[in-house]
Each structure stands twice: as C-alpha cells, then as structure tokens.
Amino acid sequence: MATVNSQQIITNNVRPEPDKVLQEIADYVHYYEIDSPVAIETARLCFLDTIGCGLAALKYDNCARLMGPVVPGTIVPHGTKIPGTSYQLDPVRGAFAIGTAVRWLDYNDCWLAAEWGHPSDNLGGILAVADWLSRTYRASGTSVIPFAKPFKIMDVLIGMIKAHEIQGGLAVKNSFNSVGLDHVVLVKVATTAVVSKMIGLSRDQTVDAISHAWVDGQSLRTYRHAPNTGSRKSWAAGDAGSRGVNLALMVQKGEAGLPSVLTAKTWGFYDALFKGKSFAFQRPYGSYVMENVLFKISYPAEFHAQTAVEAAMTLHKKINDLGKSAADIASVMIRTQESGNRIINKSGPLYNYADRDHCIQYMVAIPLLYGRLTADDYSDAVAADPAIDELRAKMTCAEDKSFTIDYHDPDKRFIGNAVKIILTDGTELEEEVLYPIGHRLRREEGTPVFLQKFERHVRGRFPDEQQVQTILEISDKNIGEFDVDEYVNFYEKQD
C-alpha cells in the first residue's frame, strides 16, 4: 500500500506591497525637485563630455559597426538620431547605440564606491527616448503616440541627475562585483526608472517597471577580468540601457510588475543573487552623486589608474630632465587602492584593447615610455613595441591601505596612486597623486581642460568648421533651453 504524506505545503499567494527600494526610487523620480545649481551645471558638463566621448569612439571600426539598425537600411520615421552618424533608429536600438558609443573608450565619467560604474552610461536611454518623443510630437502631435511630448535639454539634464543619483546611491554601500555581477545592472535600473516617467508612466507603473529591471537576467562581470577580458565590456552598458527602455515600454503596454522581486524568499534578487543580503544606503536620494561625480579629463584610462597615469607623466618629464629615458629604469613600484589592486593589477599577455585599458602596468608604462596616453595607445600597433612588456616586467603593484581608506571616505572620495621608479644608477624618483583633475576638488582647474576635451572630440568627428562652431556656441550655459531634437540635429554626420 502506498504511503501518503499528509503534510501539505501551501504557498501564500497574497501579493505583498512593493519592496521599499522600488517605491523609494519611483517616489524620487516622480516627486523630487532638483534645485541644486551645482548639480545642474555639473550635469551640463557631463552631458557635453558624454556626447563627446561617443563622437570620439566612432573613429574605431569595432565601435562604429555596432551603431546601425539590426536590419541594414532600416530608417525609423521620427526615430532617435545617433550623434555623429546618419542613423535614425527606434528608441531601444537608439539607446544601445548611444550608450555603446559613450562607453567604448572608457573615457566618460565615473563613480567609485562599494560598486563602481559610469552613471553617464544612462544618457543612452534618456537621450534616445527624449529625441524620439520630441520628433514624434513635432511631426504628428499625440496622434501617433499618445505619450509623445517635446523635451528640452534641461529635461535631459534633470534626468541625468536622477539617473546618476539612483545608480550612485545604490553603489555606495552595495558591492555587486563581490557576487560576480557587473555594475551595468544599475544602469538598467536607473534608466528604467527615469525613462518610465519620461514616457508617461504613473508612479505605480514606474514601480512595476523597476521590478522588471531587477528580475531581468544580470550580466556577469567576467568580461572585465582576466582571462576573459573583451570588448563586451564596452557595449554592456549600451545593452543595459536599451533593456531599460524596452522594459519601461512593456509596462506602458500593460505588463504587470513583481512587487517582492528583491525580498521574495528563495526566488528574489537578494536570495538568488545577493547572498541573502538586503541593500544598504548611506543617504536619501538627492543630487549628491552628480555633484561629486568624477570625470576623466586627461586620459582614457580605467579610473582607478587615472592618478597613476598622471604620476607617470610627471616622472617621464623628470627622467628626461635628468638626460635619461625609460630604458634607464631598473624597477617601478606602484601603490594603489584595494579596488585598483583587485581590478587592474595584471601580469602576463594582454590580448586586446579591452585587456590593455584595464591593466595598470600598461597604463603606467605608456606615459613613462612616450610621455602620453591616448586611446590609440591601446591598439595592437602600439602594443607591439617590446619595450612596453619589458617595462611591465619591472613593475610591482600593491595596495596602500591609506589610499583605500580615503577612497571610501564620503567627504574625500580620493583615488590615490603613487609611482616610484629606481634608475639603473640608483636614483629614486616618486610621485603621489591623491585625486585626479576630474575630481570635484579640482573642478575649477579642470573645467577649461574639460571643455577643450569636448571641442577636440567634436572637431575629430566633423570636418565642417561651421558645424563645429555651431555646436560649440550652442553648448554654453544656456543649452538647457534647446529642444532636444533640434540640438541633436546639429550632430548629424552624412556618410
């Protein structure tokens, strides 16, 4: 006779209130008023820098070939225009293209905390949706898309401030990399939240959309680390932003949310992907992240190495002043923060561009040898110089705990590095840099250099001097008054 287990397993199917984290993000997006002049001006600079980084990336075929529509020749009426190209795409593909271009060179902004990331990656989704809805409204009002409306650049800047705050706020005390997840999960969440309001979702629908961003399959960080480092790290944020736009549009069509997506036992994000831990927060959402964001002004280098590159540039000059060269270097000792030591301290062969721009030894070797570091220096052609690996072999790299402490201090957010070289004649030279020119404490010093970087990237993409001058003139402090679609039109490039 069969044995019957009389114990019943009954699941409570009563839907709970949405997780507090989801509600707080949605409330911030819908109800918080941005009134910080510092945040708005920093957002203007960030917007220009992000667009410029995208323009600079388009000279590289590996990036440019990812820009177009899925089906070649497709043109979307009133769709998103991709700056620096002739493409006009749907907003989902447009978010991918813009997001991929701005991230490709690892030259846009940075946020360093328990989790790292680049909050301006969210511009891909924000700009794509603002441009698409503005063009649609201008062409047909709301007859084609009921939620179409015109957007100003100021709307984009406010969206950026909020996306920065969401991504950065989640990153301050929550380490996604420690469980193997890539930081682009936060791009997906932040983009979904901001875009939800842009397309007219209610507060509760925004909660639903954000829940889908968390339940979505999350990227593994392995494509950023040896031995799997590859170019996917350059388009991962574009992919995350495009998914954020798509998820918001799905909820707009009626897709229901998942209220306990984070806290559900066994199946929720915390238990399934975050080792059972809940998110922790340092402060409520405001405009702190944009006000304190880090910019890569001088060098296209992974941010933990920015001050190491600056130190190496100074040492290159000092070596030359002594009548010597990098060939006279006997050893190099690099002191860095714990995060830098973990992410970019790398030995052995470097197989591609992505491998090299995430190797602190390579990023120090180039300025010591040549007195420069540009995006082209990560190319196979430059890397073929045997002097680079010969110099890398003379290097050691270790954590300096004082740098790590200052790195996590919310009032400092330093990214210190020190480079010490010993020459073959015994001469010792050392340079220590605590924070780069893109840090908020050097904002006044950095802004003119920052705008020069933007102009350089614009000139590098557009041969027409009149087009260049127009872009530079309209990108001043009054940029917020421009209609998004009209502003983006100035960046069109006919192939």
Side-chain angles (χ1 to χ4, degrees):
M1 182 176 178
T3 300
V4 178
N5 185 353
S6 60
Q7 183 178 3
Q8 295 185 23
I9 300 175
I10 301 175
T11 301
N12 186 344
N13 198 38
V14 176
R15 288 212 160 196
E17 285 293 306
D19 289 330
K20 182 180 178 183
V21 170
L22 309 182
Q23 296 197 57
E24 288 179 343
I25 294 174
D27 287 343
Y28 169 68
V29 168
H30 278 269
Y31 307 131
Y32 188 88
E33 294 294 329
I34 301 297
D35 59 3
S36 165
V38 173
I40 292 172
E41 172 58 12
T42 306
R44 179 184 76 92
L45 296 174
C46 186
F47 174 77
L48 297 179
D49 184 57
T50 308
I51 294 290
C53 289
L55 298 178
L58 294 174
K59 69 176 281 190
Y60 298 95
D61 290 341
N62 286 350
C63 176
R65 70 190 182 194
L66 299 177
M67 291 297 102
V70 173
V71 178
T74 301
I75 298 175
V76 178
H78 322 311
T80 298
K81 289 190 175 181
I82 310 305
T85 77
S86 60
Y87 295 123
Q88 191 162 12
L89 310 175
D90 69 81
V92 175
R93 187 65 185 173
F96 174 85
I98 297 170
T100 293
V102 303
R103 184 86 281 274
W104 194 265
L105 296 180
D106 203 352
Y107 209 0
N108 58 325
D109 72 359
C110 192
W111 184 250
L112 303 177
E115 185 56 56
W116 321 294
H118 312 274
S120 62
D121 292 345
N122 291 286
L123 182 62
I126 295 169
L127 184 60
V129 169
D131 191 32
W132 163 57
L133 292 181
S134 295
R135 293 184 191 283
T136 300
Y137 184 86
R138 189 181 297 277
S140 55
T142 58
S143 62
V144 176
I145 301 176
F147 52 91
K149 63 178 182 178
F151 284 83
K152 298 287 187 180
I153 293 295
M154 181 58 72
D155 298 318
V156 172
L157 301 185
I158 297 299
M160 290 178 68
I161 293 170
K162 292 191 172 183
H164 272 61
E165 191 73 3
I166 295 166
Q167 179 172 349
L170 283 162
V172 169
K173 297 179 74 68
N174 304 297
S175 175
F176 296 83
N177 64 81
S178 67
V179 295
L181 299 180
D182 194 35
H183 54 70
V184 298
V185 59
L186 302 182
V187 175
K188 189 188 307 181
V189 170
T191 293
T192 301
V194 172
V195 165
S196 291
K197 185 172 187 293
M198 293 175 68
I199 65 172
L201 297 192
S202 68
R203 179 266 191 193
D204 290 346
Q205 287 176 307
T206 299
V207 169
D208 291 343
I210 297 167
S211 75
H212 281 284
W214 286 115
V215 83
D216 211 36
Q218 311 304 347
S219 296
L220 301 179
R221 194 178 163 85
T222 189
Y223 50 70
R224 298 189 189 275
H225 295 276
N228 294 314
T229 313
S231 59
R232 179 168 181 140
K233 76 178 185 63
S234 299
W235 56 261
D239 179 59
S242 70
R243 294 184 70 82
V245 173
N246 192 46
L247 292 171
L249 289 170
M250 290 179 70
V251 171
Q252 199 275 335
K253 292 179 181 294
E255 186 66 24
L258 306 97
S260 60
V261 63
L262 298 174
T263 60
K265 295 299 181 184
T266 306
W267 316 117
F269 187 95
Y270 291 156
D271 278 2
L273 296 175
F274 217 57
K275 296 186 176 180
K277 296 184 297 182
S278 301
F279 294 151
F281 295 88
Q282 184 181 79
R283 65 184 70 237
Y285 296 117
S287 55
Y288 173 81
V289 176
M290 181 62 83
E291 291 169 356
N292 290 274
V293 76
L294 302 160
F295 290 118
K296 297 182 181 181
I297 296 178
S298 299
Y299 311 108
E302 203 280 340
F303 213 100
H304 294 91
Q306 286 283 317
T307 51
V309 174
E310 190 172 337
M313 291 288 289
T314 301
L315 289 170
H316 173 79
K317 183 178 186 303
K318 288 187 175 183
I319 294 171
N320 285 350
D321 290 345
L322 293 173
K324 298 182 181 296
S325 70
D328 297 301
I329 295 175
S331 65
V332 181
M333 287 148 281
I334 304 170
R335 290 184 287 120
T336 191
Q337 340 82 34
E338 183 277 333
S339 296
N341 193 45
R342 178 151 50 99
I343 303 170
I344 53 178
N345 182 0
K346 191 181 296 184
S347 62
L350 302 174
Y351 295 100
N352 51 49
Y353 185 112
D355 231 357
R356 296 170 197 129
D357 79 355
H358 270 56
C359 173
I360 193 169
Q361 290 88 348
Y362 189 94
M363 290 182 278
V364 167
I366 293 295
L368 286 177
L369 284 164
Y370 310 126
R372 65 167 197 262
L373 182 65
T374 69
D376 290 339
D377 287 318
Y378 300 115
S379 67
D380 292 345
V382 174
D385 185 348
I388 299 173
D389 284 344
E390 290 172 7
L391 187 52
R392 285 177 61 216
K394 299 176 182 179
M395 296 184 184
T396 59
C397 181
E399 177 192 359
D400 184 315
K401 291 190 181 300
S402 68
F403 290 164
T404 302
I405 291 170
D406 288 347
Y407 176 96
H408 289 290
D409 187 331
D411 295 323
K412 291 184 177 180
R413 299 207 172 277
F414 291 174
I415 315 97
N417 278 285
V419 180
K420 179 180 179 179
I421 61 176
I422 300 177
L423 302 180
T424 53
D425 65 2
T427 301
E428 296 186 7
L429 301 170
E430 184 170 15
E431 284 294 322
E432 179 180 287
V433 183
L434 295 179
Y435 45 91
I437 194 171
H439 191 278
R440 64 176 174 82
L441 294 179
R442 297 174 67 180
R443 197 74 85 216
E444 184 176 350
E445 172 192 0
T447 297
V449 185
F450 190 96
L451 294 174
Q452 290 169 13
K453 173 190 174 187
F454 173 65
E455 180 175 349
R456 185 171 66 250
H457 288 165
V458 172
R459 290 188 181 281
R461 188 59 184 168
F462 301 111
D464 183 348
E465 180 62 22
Q466 182 58 51
Q467 185 175 11
V468 170
Q469 287 301 320
T470 299
I471 291 173
L472 297 179
E473 288 171 6
I474 65 174
S475 298
D476 62 10
K477 291 182 181 291
N478 297 317
I479 189 175
E481 300 172 4
F482 269 88
D483 293 334
V484 167
D485 55 332
E486 291 186 343
Y487 182 83
V488 172
N489 283 342
F490 290 111
Y491 288 87
E492 186 169 0
K493 179 178 172 65
Q494 296 299 329
D495 297 326

